[in-house]
Amino acid sequence: MSTHVKKPGWFTVHVLNRLVARLTRRGLSIRGSRVLAVRGRRSGQWRTTPVNPLTVDGERYLVAPRGHVQWTHNVRAAGGGELHLGKDVEVFTATEVADDDKPPLLRAYLQRWRAEVGAFFDGVGPDSSDEELRRVSPDHPVFRITVGN
């Protein structure tokens, strides 16, 4: 497993993420945003971060554009978490997607959110070949989420 991580800049951490999370907590979704809540794998404390769930062929996914970050480790350890939009809470279980199965999911994610996350994909975009998407797959965890289990 790669340890590739693209850390967000100060503006993203201190302004954008906080703004999106605040609006999402109040029930206003920005392009599908949700607040992910997952228990920390060491502390057991709830940790939150804004995410953009992806729906492909009726299945829902969480994609980690910045790589193997804290929330991906926590979801992997906990086996799931919660997605919040205002007062609505969806409890989900998570199954990690194999690298070879990621190209169509990464393509769909980049088609939807390239403007926000394209810089984290090393020049790979929605029009890239499956081979190029497969090359960056190990750097971007993807989880299929199932609500209600």
Side-chain angles (χ1 to χ4, degrees):
M1 171 175 33
S2 172
T3 58
H4 175 84
V5 174
K6 296 267 187 162
K7 294 195 178 203
W10 184 92
F11 184 77
T12 298
V13 170
H14 295 283
V15 178
L16 277 179
N17 281 357
R18 288 180 181 179
L19 177 63
V20 170
R22 184 175 298 122
L23 292 172
T24 303
R25 279 189 199 102
R26 293 189 176 173
L28 180 61
S29 176
I30 308 299
R31 299 193 69 204
S33 65
R34 298 290 185 273
V35 172
L36 169 67
V38 63
R39 288 207 182 264
R41 65 195 177 283
R42 294 186 195 124
S43 71
Q45 299 294 313
W46 285 99
R47 305 294 184 200
T48 60
T49 191
V51 293
N52 293 317
L54 173 70
T55 302
V56 174
D57 297 331
E59 298 283 342
R60 292 176 70 196
Y61 300 89
L62 291 178
V63 177
R66 290 184 176 91
H68 296 270
V69 294
Q70 294 303 317
W71 75 258
T72 64
H73 299 299
N74 290 338
V75 166
R76 196 175 285 123
E82 299 176 350
L83 292 175
H84 294 249
L85 177 60
K87 293 180 182 182
D88 294 333
V89 178
E90 296 177 304
V91 177
F92 69 88
T93 57
T95 305
E96 195 154 5
V97 175
D99 290 341
D100 284 343
D101 297 330
K102 290 179 189 176
L105 303 172
L106 295 177
R107 184 182 317 284
Y109 191 81
L110 288 164
Q111 283 171 338
R112 172 98 193 217
W113 289 291
R114 182 180 191 172
E116 292 91 338
V117 301
F120 304 116
F121 283 84
D122 296 324
V124 173
D127 298 326
S128 295
S129 69
D130 283 355
E131 182 178 294
E132 291 172 302
L133 288 161
R134 199 169 287 109
R135 176 181 56 80
V136 300
S137 289
D139 296 333
H140 301 283
V142 177
F143 298 89
R144 184 174 55 83
I145 59 174
T146 305
V147 174
N149 291 336

